[in-house]
Amino acid sequence: MKTNLLLLSVLFLTLGCSQKKATVENEPEMPFTWKAANIYFLLTDRFNNGDTSNDTNFNRTKETATLRGFKGGDIKGITQKINDGYFTDLGVNAIWMTPIVEQIHDGTDEGTGVTYGFHGYWTSDWTTLDPNFGTKEDLKNLVETAHKKGIRILLDAVINHTGPVTDIDKVWPNEWVRTAPQCTYDNYANTTACTLVKNLPDIKTESNEAVELPPQLVEKWKSEGRYDEEVAELDAFFNRTGYPRAPRFYIMKWLTDYITEFGIDGYRVDTVKHTEESVWQEFRKECDYAFAEWKKNNPAEVLDDTHFYLVGEVYNYHVQSGRNFDFGDKVVDYFEDSFDALINFNLKYENGRTLEETYAEYDSILNNGLKGFSTLNYLTSHDDGQPFDKTREKPYETATRLLLAPGASQIYYGDELARTLIVEGTEGDATLRSFMDWEAARTNEETKNILAHWQRLGKFRSNHPAVGAGRHQKIASDVGYVFSRDFSKDDYNDTVVVGLNLTKGAKVINVSSKFEEGTELYDAYSGVSAKVTDGNIRIDSAADIVLLERK
């Protein structure tokens, strides 16, 4: 790994830098907004093993291809790290977990060797958790623990498909799924009315025909002694909504149960463009209803009046598309009555432009064509074989580029440790999914320095909604790259100034357009404070970056 130019700066600083002081009396409380969220995305199985007793279930003992089996990560492991303050120190205010519902019991064996559903996207039963990930009591504890720390929880919703068919895991009835044709992605129909890949049965989400429960679920629920309860709940759902007993509505009921039972704060929705857009409008309605019910039934546990969050994965969507996604023969607006934000697949390709070009364009789009909505930026992900920095030679730049970008940010687990994305012997996206390297975080000095940089930027973002949701303005480029962000909501106002590529040591920045004479400012990166004098702020630090806020 190459040493970044910021390394000397980070080495000079310690994790003990003082943080911004508490707000003064009568100052409006900082509001939370999903538009500025700092979301941590993790594979539940690959983050932290909090309970080794649940590592093997359903006789999943076959030898697997490299990084294609369960590795022990679980819900308890995530909760442990919440309690340890790991996410708080990183400025994370929301955690997105891969699906935790029960997965197919067997593995597939096609070409690369055996693969189990460790990633969570191969559902066999939406109504219960996979024991490899934990129990519903574990999930309840995680959500409660996170909320006490001001951290919101996103689960991952899959409505498009079931898990693959194996000798143990049978195909769902024909009324529920199609097993052909395979998608060719060259128009709308060939993206929605088809199977994503071979042997991944596609839910007939377009159907309004009433269907019976799959016999394998009936048999399973009866053996577990909960058939009557599940059927009674389904009857109540369909009686309340008036929906036909079509496949998609069963799944919506099962997914929204996690809202009413546990109070999760949002869903990241998988494979959005492979399902009719009307499905997501229906899902939005049911999620909002469920969240309102949970708030009504749990008033003491409600964080605030923030609405339920839906962010969609429309593969290859980029923020420059605004509200339109073009299939070639049809243009779809996935924001209409459904999603708050879509994942932006384009930030990783912006490295050929200056940060100002990227940030100014994003600011314009978010405040015009996407006004009222947002985007979720990322530079690394679980199934993107072309991340921004696959060789992990630019971990400092990755943090700066991502965490200071307008919009919400998505840290992929291990970005903050430069977790390797190249694992010998892997095929496909398995190389992106190694287990979190906690030993390096504890013992490797370079890893500690990288983490410190991510923590400073992450905390600054979480302390200031202006960073992600504020209006962007370039202030100067003669002393480096200096810009401001301004955010207002009701009586709350937030202004920050950021300087990048500055002189190390003493640096003078003109901030007269943003802060009044005599205002005391604090550099959240170095821990240095200074007053605005003659319109300027003078910061003497070893870093070439400043993160200025009112003290």
Side-chain angles (χ1 to χ4, degrees), residues 158-215:
V158 183
I159 298 180
N160 174 257
H161 55 271
T162 69
V165 180
T166 72
D167 292 339
I168 296 174
D169 307 279
K170 304 304 181 184
V171 66
W172 288 44
N174 290 334
E175 296 80 11
W176 275 81
V177 301
R178 63 174 64 84
T179 55
Q182 191 169 327
C183 295
T184 56
Y185 311 110
D186 51 0
N187 60 35
Y188 182 80
N190 292 340
T191 304
T192 57
C194 49
T195 64
L196 292 177
V197 294
K198 183 181 179 182
N199 194 25
L200 195 63
D202 184 69
I203 296 289
K204 292 182 175 178
T205 50
E206 79 284 1
S207 174
N208 287 314
E209 296 299 316
V211 297
E212 298 295 326
L213 283 166

Side-chain angles (χ1 to χ4, degrees), residues 320-395:
Q320 288 88 348
S321 299
R323 291 182 59 168
N324 296 320
F325 185 81
D326 191 352
F327 285 88
D329 63 337
K330 183 176 181 178
V331 175
V332 174
D333 178 1
Y334 287 106
F335 292 92
E336 184 177 2
D337 298 325
S338 51
F339 291 102
D340 298 284
L342 297 182
I343 295 172
N344 174 29
F345 284 76
N346 207 51
L347 182 62
K348 63 177 185 168
Y349 295 122
E350 300 278 354
N351 58 320
R353 310 168 71 197
T354 66
L355 283 182
E356 172 58 21
E357 289 172 328
T358 297
Y359 290 174
E361 181 183 39
Y362 282 27
D363 172 76
S364 177
I365 294 169
L366 291 169
N367 288 282
N368 290 284
L370 279 180
K371 190 172 181 64
F373 302 98
S374 189
T375 191
L376 179 58
N377 300 309
Y378 80 94
L379 290 175
T380 319
S381 192
H382 64 316
D383 58 2
D384 186 339
Q386 295 179 301
F388 171 70
D389 180 29
K390 189 165 187 176
T391 56
R392 297 297 201 187
E393 297 179 359
K394 299 181 283 189

Side-chain angles (χ1 to χ4, degrees), residues 199-238:
N199 194 25
L200 195 63
D202 184 69
I203 296 289
K204 292 182 175 178
T205 50
E206 79 284 1
S207 174
N208 287 314
E209 296 299 316
V211 297
E212 298 295 326
L213 283 166
Q216 59 263 52
L217 277 188
V218 172
E219 179 182 358
K220 178 177 184 290
W221 292 350
K222 285 183 176 179
S223 70
E224 295 171 349
R226 59 190 181 97
Y227 172 78
D228 290 339
E229 178 184 359
E230 293 293 344
V231 169
E233 289 185 9
L234 285 167
D235 289 343
F237 173 81
F238 286 112

